Amino acid sequence: MTLHPSKLLALAGLLAAVPAAAQAQPTRPGTRGKIEEAEIEIVKERVNQLPEAARNFEKIKISPPAKTAGNVNYTYPDFRLPADLLNPSVRVLTIRQEELAPQTGNYLKAGVGNYGTFLGRAHLHNTRSTTASYGIDLNHLSSARGPIDKQNSGQSRTTLDLNGETYSGTTALGAKVELGRERYNFYGYNRDVARLPIADTLKQTFSRAGIKVYARNRATDAQVQYDVSLGFRHWNDNFNAKENNLYGEVRTAYVLSETSKVSVNGDFSFISFEDSLKYNRPFFQVTPAYELTLNRLAVSVGAAIGYTGDTIRQAPQFKVYPAVRVGYTVTEDKFVVFAGLGGGIQRVTMYDLTTENPWLAPNQRVADTRRGPTLYLGFNATPARNLELNARVTLSNDRNLYFYNNSRRDSTKFDLVYDKKSTQLFNAHGEVIYNAAEKTRIGVKLDYNGYNVKTLNEAFHRPAFQSVLFATHNVYDKLLLGAELYTYSSSYGSSYRRAAGSTLLTKREYVRPTDSVIDLNLRADYRIMEKLSIFAMGNNLIGGQYERFLNYPVKGANVLLGATYDF
């Protein structure tokens, strides 16, 4: 057996320690000690074994955060009291809806204000589900008094909306039902008379009903995309006029490759209209297009093919317009420029017109607008975080573009008037929006419309300039503040007076400017409990009783106070 030097040293030390230990013992008398022979065995393969220790290396557990109640869903569905019938062409963006924990979807809202105003709303919806969505929304807003002779200028509006949607795989099937009733008065009369009219003699009412069924593809990455719908709308007024509209919409796209696809969009409508006359108004339009994306360049080439049964002003019934759009990404996610050449037939209905101007005279002749050819160019930019800039310039040539002018038969009502020739329109649109962490949103939107009319004296009741400045701020999910400032430039209407020496039937037209509009609206919502919040709304707080439509001043400053209960 071979011993390593370290083992030899250890053995030598052991042997040296033996006599030292013997010398340290007391001396025994009589005999001397001697070392007997012995054999020392070193076992190299021996392994020392220790008993297995109990191990307890349990991972550290981090408790999940405690669940808290979801934030109140602050929206502005009724921020602006609609009594003044101001319909800006730009929508005010509000703070985006935050994702809630379990969705209850139910709330009740009620409020009261000056002018005998009452607001009531009930929104009932099912909880969040992966199989179906359905709900009901009931809305009522009325003012017993108005800006002219109290009850003579009162108005009311009630709507009931029902909706439902089911999901099966990537397909969504749904239906919507809309019901509504509105009451207005023709209060733009001459007050310099011995006896004022009573409210019931000024009455105008609208009844609205509609149903729509649809199917759409929910898979955004599917090769075939579709959204098709079929609907019916009914409208009637206090003068026994009726409009029935059967319509459909088709939006489809087929993806050819990662860079190209083919889209086909279509619309059709068949209107049966009846007042002193009865006639039908068919309409259809289809727009096929091929879309290609090459690196930073996006191109769409197609055509809009349309037909309308309207024959007013001998405008052509069948039209084909180009549908070409080119976009170029100068800086990815920062700056995109675009330009295009287009056009199309725009469907016009009494259902929609009376939401813009409820004081139309009976026996109106409605016509679809032929818009085109249209040239446009603009850009979208995000030069800094949370900042968005958009601008667009449009040049179009319109046939049968409608205007509102005071009726010669009764200046308290309005007629639809059309230029006998084409109307050239120059539109410049710009907007700046700043959105900070979905808590604060500030923005401004501007529109300039230059109308070049040939046979009309003015572009009646179409203001050239309109803007909106808005801001919203969410304070710790407890207080939501909002403000809107609308401005409209002056437009034009007509008044009629009998010329000296003429007969009673002969009236001379005097074109008059309407007022410029500055309209300030403020709102505050405060959540005092988990399910209860209170609100205050102020409309037209500057207080000017301006005339958006000639002879129809709006209410002055009006305030609404109320509460909302979520459950």
Side-chain angles (χ1 to χ4, degrees):
M1 180 180 63
T2 305
L3 297 177
H4 293 283
S6 60
K7 293 181 178 179
L8 292 175
L9 291 174
L11 179 59
L14 179 59
L15 294 177
V18 172
Q23 292 178 5
Q25 297 293 329
T27 304
R28 289 194 176 98
T31 60
R32 290 176 63 95
K34 67 176 181 178
I35 299 175
E36 297 180 355
E37 293 182 0
E39 182 177 353
I40 298 174
E41 180 180 7
I42 299 175
V43 181
K44 182 180 180 182
E45 290 80 7
R46 184 170 180 175
V47 178
N48 293 327
Q49 294 184 349
L50 297 175
E52 185 175 352
R55 304 179 62 187
N56 185 17
F57 292 127
E58 185 178 358
K59 294 182 178 180
I60 299 175
K61 294 183 178 180
I62 300 177
S63 301
K67 293 184 179 181
T68 58
N71 296 330
V72 172
N73 176 21
Y74 286 113
T75 58
Y76 281 149
D78 51 1
F79 179 89
R80 180 176 178 77
L81 299 179
D84 303 330
L85 275 300
L86 277 174
N87 294 295
S89 63
V90 289
R91 278 185 169 272
V92 176
L93 301 179
T94 56
I95 292 179
R96 187 180 65 186
Q97 176 180 336
E98 299 180 4
E99 189 69 17
L100 302 177
Q103 179 184 8
T104 60
N106 304 314
Y107 67 85
L108 301 176
K109 182 190 294 285
V112 294
N114 58 336
Y115 290 97
T117 301
F118 173 75
L119 168 69
R121 183 170 186 181
H123 181 83
L124 309 175
H125 205 281
N126 69 316
T127 56
R128 186 174 290 109
S129 171
T130 58
T131 59
S133 173
Y134 51 89
I136 180 174
D137 193 8
L138 176 62
N139 230 327
H140 175 80
L141 178 64
S142 62
S143 294
R145 299 179 297 278
I148 300 295
D149 299 329
K150 298 181 179 180
Q151 287 84 0
N152 281 9
S153 53
Q155 56 186 285
S156 66
R157 179 181 302 177
T158 304
T159 61
L160 174 64
D161 298 331
L162 300 94
N163 62 84
E165 194 172 77
T166 62
Y167 312 114
S168 176
T170 60
T171 301
L173 301 175
K176 296 181 179 180
V177 176
E178 301 173 341
L179 301 173
R181 187 185 185 278
E182 301 161 31
R183 159 72 188 262
Y184 302 95
N185 288 335
F186 293 99
Y187 64 89
Y189 50 80
N190 178 16
R191 302 179 67 200
D192 189 16
V193 293
R195 189 171 182 177
L196 295 175
I198 60 176
D200 286 343
T201 63
L202 308 171
K203 181 179 178 181
Q204 171 65 295
T205 60
F206 301 121
S207 297
R208 307 177 191 271
I211 183 171
K212 175 181 177 182
V213 294
Y214 61 89
R216 60 182 176 87
N217 188 357
R218 298 195 302 154
T220 57
D221 57 348
Q223 187 174 21
V224 179
Q225 298 289 326
Y226 60 89
D227 188 344
V228 296
S229 62
L230 179 66
F232 176 80
R233 277 183 168 178
H234 170 80
W235 169 93
N236 64 66
D237 69 1
N238 198 46
F239 300 127
N240 297 321
K242 299 178 182 178
E243 180 184 74
N244 294 312
N245 182 14
L246 177 66
Y247 67 94
E249 300 174 346
V250 177
R251 304 290 183 266
T252 62
Y254 181 78
V255 178
L256 301 174
S257 66
E258 294 182 354
T259 59
S260 63
K261 67 177 180 180
V262 175
S263 64
V264 178
N265 297 331
D267 299 272
F268 78 87
S269 169
F270 184 84
I271 290 179
S272 173
F273 189 82
E274 179 181 357
D275 50 15
S276 59
L277 299 175
K278 184 176 181 180
Y279 55 90
N280 298 324
R281 301 180 56 216
F283 160 83
F284 81 85
Q285 185 164 256
V286 60
T287 307
Y290 173 74
E291 302 177 25
L292 178 65
T293 303
L294 298 174
N295 196 9
R296 296 188 175 187
L297 183 66
V299 180
S300 177
V301 179
I305 305 167
Y307 169 83
T308 175
D310 297 331
T311 58
I312 295 180
R313 304 298 184 192
Q314 298 180 344
Q317 295 178 291
F318 181 82
K319 294 291 292 184
V320 178
Y321 300 97
V324 179
R325 187 184 188 279
V326 178
Y328 183 75
T329 304
V330 180
T331 304
E332 188 173 359
D333 298 328
K334 292 289 186 181
F335 188 53
V336 177
V337 295
F338 60 87
L341 181 64
I345 300 177
Q346 297 183 353
R347 192 54 155 166
V348 181
T349 67
M350 284 295 288
Y351 191 105
D352 295 326
L353 289 172
T354 51
T355 63
E356 294 180 0
N357 185 344
W359 300 292
L360 288 177
N363 302 317
Q364 296 299 309
R365 192 66 187 269
V366 183
D368 294 330
T369 301
R370 286 78 159 171
R371 168 152 290 180
T374 300
L375 177 65
Y376 61 91
L377 55 93
F379 69 87
N380 302 319
T382 54
R385 184 180 179 183
N386 303 325
L387 182 63
E388 179 182 349
L389 305 177
N390 299 300
R392 184 184 66 250
V393 173
T394 303
L395 299 172
S396 68
N397 190 70
D398 297 341
R399 290 295 302 271
N400 284 352
L401 178 65
Y402 63 86
F403 300 87
Y404 299 112
N405 195 20
N406 301 79
S407 174
R408 184 181 292 272
R409 295 164 294 177
D410 183 354
S411 60
T412 66
K413 301 178 177 65
F414 294 86
D415 287 331
L416 295 174
V417 294
Y418 305 89
D419 199 330
K420 295 180 180 180
K421 299 181 179 180
S422 297
T423 300
Q424 283 72 48
L425 169 63
F426 171 78
N427 170 261
H429 171 78
E431 58 185 62
V432 180
I433 300 174
Y434 176 77
N435 183 15
E438 298 299 339
K439 295 293 185 182
T440 301
R441 181 182 287 268
I442 302 173
V444 59
K445 296 188 178 185
L446 309 171
D447 267 278
Y448 172 78
N449 294 290
Y451 299 96
N452 182 14
V453 292
K454 306 294 193 308
T455 61
L456 296 178
N457 292 327
E458 297 288 347
F460 293 109
H461 289 99
R462 284 189 178 265
F465 177 79
Q466 53 187 302
S467 70
V468 57
L469 173 65
F470 60 92
T472 57
H473 182 62
N474 194 336
V475 184
Y476 301 117
D477 298 324
K478 294 283 289 183
L479 176 64
L480 185 65
L481 303 174
E484 296 173 346
L485 179 65
Y486 288 92
T487 61
Y488 280 74
S489 64
S490 174
S491 59
Y492 293 90
S494 295
S495 61
Y496 303 92
R497 287 177 290 186
R498 187 170 60 89
S502 63
T503 64
L504 293 176
L505 298 178
T506 304
K507 295 182 180 180
R508 183 176 180 181
E509 180 180 3
Y510 295 87
V511 176
R512 293 171 46 198
T514 64
D515 296 329
S516 299
V517 175
I518 301 178
D519 195 325
L520 174 64
N521 311 301
L522 300 177
R523 173 165 181 165
D525 283 82
Y526 181 71
R527 188 177 65 185
I528 57 177
M529 299 174 61
E530 181 180 354
K531 296 183 177 182
L532 182 64
S533 60
I534 56 176
F535 66 86
M537 296 170 53
N539 195 53
N540 192 20
L541 293 180
I542 295 178
Q545 292 188 334
Y546 52 82
E547 294 182 359
R548 169 67 177 87
F549 292 97
L550 191 64
N551 300 328
Y552 280 87
V554 304
K555 290 183 293 187
N558 48 102
V559 178
L560 196 67
L561 305 176
T564 304
Y565 178 72
D566 296 272
F567 59 98

